[in-house]
Amino acid sequence: MTRVLEIRDVWKAYDTLEVLKGISFDVSEKEVKVVFGPSGSGKSTLLRVINMLTPPEKGEVLLRGESLMDPKADLSKLRSRIGFVFQHFNLFTHLKAIDNVSIGPHLVLGMTKEEAVDVAHDILSKVKMMEWCEHYPAELSGGQQQRIGIARSLAMNPDIILFDEPTSALDPELIGEVLQVMLDIAAEGTTMIVVTHEMGFARAVSDEMIFIDGGVIVERGTPQHFFENPETERAQRFLHRLDVLYGEADSGKKSK
């Protein structure tokens, strides 16, 4: 399979605190990787490093073979090909939903306003938000705002989308609508890295799960591996804690 993203020996520190300590893995075309682990383990920092929101001290990130660390690289262009769905939505509060989605294709991809609006309409239909396209973020629920955030990323036709705990800021009754959209786009072959504690989602769609703790990859494997026979005691304890907090993850078949 074609490699979309390569993370090579990435290290990141804040002052004397080492947050990432030599992280390496690849993501191939249409693959879904789920990254999980305890708070403070480096998961969100990893996504920010991949997108160069927080450049690493050491290591390399390559998008389809092009290094984002190369001083000669057009970093803005490369970053436009990496979608990012944030935990707290990060929508433009002064723009309606349709404009939040169409602004990127228009200003970054060079589409005309009309072309960008057409794309936005198609994507908003996909995430079941056309009915609210003329609403401002403040008029939408958290789940609706997050669906707009996903639509905004999809509208850029990215090589890969990074999801940073996309349901953690939502009320419990709104989580399902966002996870369903993510299930749908995974089934369509969207390449994704998802930081989440939603183990039902992970079991349903992930090709590989990566357990991070203390800034290192402790264990990695298929959903079947983690739910039936995790090897490390640390992963066993963490998964047991999730079961206690959220109940046993629903079983499910891969949607792809």
Side-chain angles (χ1 to χ4, degrees), residues 64-83:
R64 296 196 184 276
E66 295 183 71
S67 175
L68 278 75
M69 313 294 294
D70 186 346
K72 299 177 183 178
D74 186 340
L75 186 56
S76 294
K77 185 174 182 180
L78 288 172
R79 288 181 64 197
S80 73
R81 293 163 50 194
I82 302 175

Side-chain angles (χ1 to χ4, degrees), residues 122-130 147-148 150-151 154 177 181 185:
D122 289 342
I123 300 296
L124 286 168
S125 294
K126 180 179 292 189
V127 301
K128 300 176 177 60
M129 283 297 296
M130 264 300 293
R147 282 188 278 161
I148 296 298
I150 294 171
L154 287 171
E177 65 189 57
V181 167
I185 65 175

Side-chain angles (χ1 to χ4, degrees), residues 7 23 28 39 56 79 82 124 132 136 172 178-179 196 210 240:
I7 295 106
I23 299 288
S28 297
S39 297
R79 288 181 64 197
I82 302 175
L124 286 168
W132 294 274
Y136 289 94
V178 173
L179 290 179
T196 186
I210 300 174
H240 175 70

